Amino acid sequence: NHILRVGIDDAPPVPMQIGTPESGDFHGYEVDLFQELAKRLDFSIQYRRALWSVIVGELSSGGLDLVCSAATVTAERAREVDFCAPHLKLSLALVTREELSADLDIGASRVGVRHGTTAAAYLRHRKGGKEAAMLSESNEELYSALARGMLDGVIDDSPIAMHYSRAIPGLKYAYRFEGTEGEYAVMVRRGNRSLRDQINVRLAEMEFDGALPSLRRIWFGSENLFI
């Protein structure tokens, strides 16, 4: 039985990942996904939790086999790593407070994003190169600041935005941004075609036999995250 060394973000992207492997309460959409992958590949999982930049660096240097932590497929990342077949479609979305207008002008408002994400790049573009009102490594910190009135909005990936808008009283899912559609995929080291191909075969199996659609319904209430 081989060991699959899986890199996960130090700030778990709920509901993709909830809890920690160390505490024994680790669960979520991606946790279920790579446990099913490991079972079908006959691998056991060894988790490595660290900051995003650290786990991507360790993947490139061979210290990890894959990274599965709400990783959006981008051309920039594809120059550093190889992506497996996408397992979830999504878009960027805005969360605000219930008393604020759903048509929040993000260019003129205090908007927070996670550091180093596609949301951060999108907001910087919309603000003409200016940084966000708040850049954080932690979703909890951003949504807490929004709930307390320190921010007017948070831009995030739609499954994560939907979760926090439901979980924290006083917040609402305002809208998704047209033209920001993307996909999450497992990242493997550049050139590791053997592992990538093995994972892609199993992902295709899981799509065909209903395992993946079932996971999407369980965790998001829908198979379509263009919401």
Short mmCIF file of all heavy atoms in Angstrom, two decimals, residues 107-141:
data_model
loop_
_atom_site.label_atom_id
_atom_site.label_comp_id
_atom_site.label_asym_id
_atom_site.label_seq_id
_atom_site.Cartn_x
_atom_site.Cartn_y
_atom_site.Cartn_z
N GLY A 107 -15.77 48.78 -6.34
CA GLY A 107 -14.66 49.70 -6.55
C GLY A 107 -14.57 50.78 -5.49
O GLY A 107 -13.49 51.29 -5.19
N ALA A 108 -15.73 51.15 -4.90
CA ALA A 108 -15.77 52.24 -3.93
C ALA A 108 -16.02 51.75 -2.51
O ALA A 108 -16.24 52.55 -1.60
CB ALA A 108 -16.86 53.24 -4.33
N SER A 109 -16.00 50.44 -2.29
CA SER A 109 -16.34 49.88 -0.98
C SER A 109 -15.14 49.19 -0.34
O SER A 109 -14.13 48.93 -1.00
CB SER A 109 -17.49 48.87 -1.13
OG SER A 109 -18.60 49.48 -1.75
N ARG A 110 -15.28 48.91 0.96
CA ARG A 110 -14.22 48.20 1.69
C ARG A 110 -14.45 46.69 1.51
O ARG A 110 -15.35 46.12 2.13
CB ARG A 110 -14.27 48.55 3.18
CG ARG A 110 -14.08 50.03 3.49
CD ARG A 110 -14.42 50.33 4.95
NE ARG A 110 -15.80 49.94 5.23
CZ ARG A 110 -16.30 49.76 6.46
NH1 ARG A 110 -15.53 49.94 7.52
NH2 ARG A 110 -17.57 49.42 6.63
N VAL A 111 -13.65 46.11 0.64
CA VAL A 111 -13.84 44.69 0.30
C VAL A 111 -12.60 43.90 0.68
O VAL A 111 -11.47 44.34 0.42
CB VAL A 111 -14.14 44.53 -1.20
CG1 VAL A 111 -14.28 43.05 -1.57
CG2 VAL A 111 -15.41 45.30 -1.59
N GLY A 112 -12.80 42.75 1.29
CA GLY A 112 -11.70 41.88 1.71
C GLY A 112 -11.62 40.62 0.87
O GLY A 112 -12.63 40.14 0.34
N VAL A 113 -10.40 40.09 0.75
CA VAL A 113 -10.16 38.85 -0.01
C VAL A 113 -9.03 38.08 0.67
O VAL A 113 -8.25 38.64 1.44
CB VAL A 113 -9.74 39.12 -1.48
CG1 VAL A 113 -10.91 39.61 -2.30
CG2 VAL A 113 -8.58 40.11 -1.55
N ARG A 114 -8.96 36.80 0.37
CA ARG A 114 -7.82 36.01 0.85
C ARG A 114 -6.60 36.29 -0.01
O ARG A 114 -6.69 36.40 -1.22
CB ARG A 114 -8.14 34.51 0.84
CG ARG A 114 -8.89 34.08 2.09
CD ARG A 114 -8.88 32.58 2.26
NE ARG A 114 -7.54 32.06 2.45
CZ ARG A 114 -7.21 30.79 2.28
NH1 ARG A 114 -8.11 29.91 1.90
NH2 ARG A 114 -5.97 30.38 2.48
N HIS A 115 -5.48 36.36 0.66
CA HIS A 115 -4.19 36.65 0.01
C HIS A 115 -3.83 35.56 -1.01
O HIS A 115 -4.00 34.38 -0.74
CB HIS A 115 -3.11 36.74 1.09
CG HIS A 115 -1.76 37.10 0.58
ND1 HIS A 115 -1.47 38.34 0.09
CD2 HIS A 115 -0.63 36.37 0.46
CE1 HIS A 115 -0.20 38.37 -0.30
NE2 HIS A 115 0.32 37.19 -0.09
N GLY A 116 -3.38 35.98 -2.19
CA GLY A 116 -2.87 35.02 -3.17
C GLY A 116 -3.92 34.22 -3.90
O GLY A 116 -3.60 33.19 -4.52
N THR A 117 -5.18 34.66 -3.87
CA THR A 117 -6.27 33.91 -4.50
C THR A 117 -6.68 34.56 -5.82
O THR A 117 -6.30 35.69 -6.13
CB THR A 117 -7.50 33.86 -3.58
OG1 THR A 117 -7.92 35.21 -3.30
CG2 THR A 117 -7.18 33.14 -2.28
N THR A 118 -7.51 33.84 -6.59
CA THR A 118 -8.06 34.43 -7.81
C THR A 118 -8.97 35.60 -7.46
O THR A 118 -9.07 36.56 -8.23
CB THR A 118 -8.85 33.37 -8.62
OG1 THR A 118 -9.80 32.73 -7.77
CG2 THR A 118 -7.92 32.32 -9.20
N ALA A 119 -9.62 35.56 -6.30
CA ALA A 119 -10.46 36.68 -5.85
C ALA A 119 -9.61 37.93 -5.63
O ALA A 119 -10.03 39.04 -5.98
CB ALA A 119 -11.19 36.31 -4.56
N ALA A 120 -8.42 37.77 -5.05
CA ALA A 120 -7.52 38.92 -4.83
C ALA A 120 -7.09 39.53 -6.15
O ALA A 120 -7.08 40.77 -6.31
CB ALA A 120 -6.31 38.48 -4.02
N ALA A 121 -6.76 38.69 -7.12
CA ALA A 121 -6.35 39.18 -8.44
C ALA A 121 -7.51 39.89 -9.15
O ALA A 121 -7.33 40.94 -9.78
CB ALA A 121 -5.85 38.02 -9.29
N TYR A 122 -8.70 39.33 -9.01
CA TYR A 122 -9.89 39.91 -9.65
C TYR A 122 -10.20 41.29 -9.05
O TYR A 122 -10.45 42.26 -9.79
CB TYR A 122 -11.09 38.98 -9.46
CG TYR A 122 -12.38 39.52 -10.02
CD1 TYR A 122 -12.61 39.54 -11.39
CD2 TYR A 122 -13.37 40.01 -9.17
CE1 TYR A 122 -13.79 40.03 -11.92
CE2 TYR A 122 -14.56 40.51 -9.69
CZ TYR A 122 -14.77 40.52 -11.06
OH TYR A 122 -15.94 41.02 -11.58
N LEU A 123 -10.16 41.40 -7.73
CA LEU A 123 -10.46 42.68 -7.08
C LEU A 123 -9.41 43.73 -7.44
O LEU A 123 -9.75 44.89 -7.70
CB LEU A 123 -10.55 42.50 -5.56
CG LEU A 123 -10.90 43.76 -4.77
CD1 LEU A 123 -12.27 44.30 -5.18
CD2 LEU A 123 -10.87 43.49 -3.27
N ARG A 124 -8.15 43.32 -7.48
CA ARG A 124 -7.08 44.25 -7.83
C ARG A 124 -7.32 44.81 -9.26
O ARG A 124 -7.15 46.00 -9.51
CB ARG A 124 -5.73 43.53 -7.75
CG ARG A 124 -4.52 44.45 -7.72
CD ARG A 124 -3.29 43.75 -7.14
NE ARG A 124 -3.05 42.45 -7.74
CZ ARG A 124 -3.07 41.29 -7.08
NH1 ARG A 124 -3.28 41.26 -5.78
NH2 ARG A 124 -2.85 40.16 -7.70
N HIS A 125 -7.75 43.93 -10.16
CA HIS A 125 -8.06 44.35 -11.53
C HIS A 125 -9.23 45.32 -11.55
O HIS A 125 -9.18 46.37 -12.23
CB HIS A 125 -8.37 43.11 -12.38
CG HIS A 125 -8.90 43.43 -13.74
ND1 HIS A 125 -8.11 43.95 -14.75
CD2 HIS A 125 -10.15 43.30 -14.26
CE1 HIS A 125 -8.85 44.13 -15.83
NE2 HIS A 125 -10.09 43.75 -15.57
N ARG A 126 -10.28 45.01 -10.77
CA ARG A 126 -11.48 45.87 -10.74
C ARG A 126 -11.18 47.23 -10.10
O ARG A 126 -11.84 48.22 -10.41
CB ARG A 126 -12.60 45.17 -9.97
CG ARG A 126 -13.27 44.03 -10.69
CD ARG A 126 -14.24 44.49 -11.78
NE ARG A 126 -15.32 45.31 -11.26
CZ ARG A 126 -16.53 44.84 -10.95
NH1 ARG A 126 -16.79 43.54 -11.12
NH2 ARG A 126 -17.47 45.63 -10.49
N LYS A 127 -10.20 47.27 -9.20
CA LYS A 127 -9.86 48.52 -8.51
C LYS A 127 -8.69 49.25 -9.19
O LYS A 127 -8.07 50.13 -8.59
CB LYS A 127 -9.53 48.24 -7.03
CG LYS A 127 -10.73 47.81 -6.20
CD LYS A 127 -10.34 47.41 -4.79
CE LYS A 127 -10.07 48.61 -3.92
NZ LYS A 127 -11.30 49.30 -3.50
N GLY A 128 -8.37 48.86 -10.42
CA GLY A 128 -7.33 49.55 -11.17
C GLY A 128 -5.94 49.38 -10.57
O GLY A 128 -5.12 50.30 -10.63
N GLY A 129 -5.69 48.21 -9.99
CA GLY A 129 -4.36 47.93 -9.45
C GLY A 129 -4.23 48.16 -7.96
O GLY A 129 -3.22 47.78 -7.36
N LYS A 130 -5.23 48.79 -7.34
CA LYS A 130 -5.16 49.03 -5.90
C LYS A 130 -5.50 47.75 -5.14
O LYS A 130 -6.31 46.94 -5.58
CB LYS A 130 -6.14 50.15 -5.50
CG LYS A 130 -5.69 51.53 -5.97
CD LYS A 130 -6.52 52.63 -5.33
CE LYS A 130 -7.95 52.63 -5.86
NZ LYS A 130 -8.72 53.79 -5.37
N GLU A 131 -4.87 47.59 -3.96
CA GLU A 131 -5.09 46.39 -3.16
C GLU A 131 -6.44 46.45 -2.43
O GLU A 131 -7.07 47.51 -2.31
CB GLU A 131 -3.97 46.22 -2.12
CG GLU A 131 -2.66 45.74 -2.72
CD GLU A 131 -2.72 44.32 -3.28
OE1 GLU A 131 -3.75 43.64 -3.13
OE2 GLU A 131 -1.72 43.90 -3.89
N ALA A 132 -6.85 45.30 -1.93
CA ALA A 132 -8.11 45.20 -1.18
C ALA A 132 -8.01 45.97 0.14
O ALA A 132 -6.92 46.25 0.64
CB ALA A 132 -8.39 43.72 -0.89
N ALA A 133 -9.18 46.29 0.71
CA ALA A 133 -9.22 46.95 2.02
C ALA A 133 -8.65 46.03 3.10
O ALA A 133 -8.10 46.49 4.09
CB ALA A 133 -10.65 47.34 2.37
N MET A 134 -8.77 44.70 2.88
CA MET A 134 -8.24 43.74 3.84
C MET A 134 -7.78 42.50 3.09
O MET A 134 -8.56 41.88 2.36
CB MET A 134 -9.28 43.37 4.89
CG MET A 134 -8.80 42.44 5.97
SD MET A 134 -10.09 42.18 7.22
CE MET A 134 -9.25 41.09 8.35
N LEU A 135 -6.51 42.15 3.25
CA LEU A 135 -5.95 40.90 2.72
C LEU A 135 -5.65 40.00 3.89
O LEU A 135 -4.99 40.42 4.84
CB LEU A 135 -4.65 41.18 1.95
CG LEU A 135 -4.75 41.63 0.50
CD1 LEU A 135 -3.40 42.11 0.01
CD2 LEU A 135 -5.23 40.49 -0.39
N SER A 136 -6.12 38.76 3.86
CA SER A 136 -5.92 37.87 4.99
C SER A 136 -5.62 36.46 4.51
O SER A 136 -6.01 36.08 3.40
CB SER A 136 -7.17 37.86 5.88
OG SER A 136 -7.05 36.89 6.91
N GLU A 137 -4.95 35.69 5.33
CA GLU A 137 -4.75 34.25 5.05
C GLU A 137 -5.96 33.44 5.51
O GLU A 137 -6.05 32.25 5.24
CB GLU A 137 -3.50 33.74 5.78
CG GLU A 137 -2.19 34.36 5.33
CD GLU A 137 -1.68 33.80 4.01
OE1 GLU A 137 -2.33 32.90 3.45
OE2 GLU A 137 -0.64 34.28 3.54
N SER A 138 -6.88 34.07 6.23
CA SER A 138 -7.95 33.35 6.92
C SER A 138 -9.34 33.80 6.49
O SER A 138 -9.67 34.98 6.60
CB SER A 138 -7.79 33.53 8.44
OG SER A 138 -8.98 33.22 9.12
N ASN A 139 -10.16 32.86 6.03
CA ASN A 139 -11.55 33.16 5.74
C ASN A 139 -12.29 33.62 6.99
O ASN A 139 -13.11 34.55 6.94
CB ASN A 139 -12.26 31.93 5.16
CG ASN A 139 -11.99 31.75 3.68
OD1 ASN A 139 -11.96 32.70 2.93
ND2 ASN A 139 -11.79 30.50 3.26
N GLU A 140 -12.02 32.95 8.12
CA GLU A 140 -12.71 33.30 9.36
C GLU A 140 -12.49 34.77 9.71
O GLU A 140 -13.43 35.47 10.10
CB GLU A 140 -12.23 32.41 10.53
CG GLU A 140 -12.88 31.05 10.63
CD GLU A 140 -12.39 30.07 9.56
OE1 GLU A 140 -11.36 30.36 8.93
OE2 GLU A 140 -13.07 29.04 9.37
N GLU A 141 -11.26 35.23 9.55
CA GLU A 141 -10.94 36.63 9.87
C GLU A 141 -11.71 37.58 8.96
O GLU A 141 -12.25 38.59 9.41
CB GLU A 141 -9.43 36.86 9.73
CG GLU A 141 -8.99 38.26 10.13
CD GLU A 141 -7.48 38.44 10.03
OE1 GLU A 141 -6.85 37.85 9.13
OE2 GLU A 141 -6.94 39.19 10.85
#
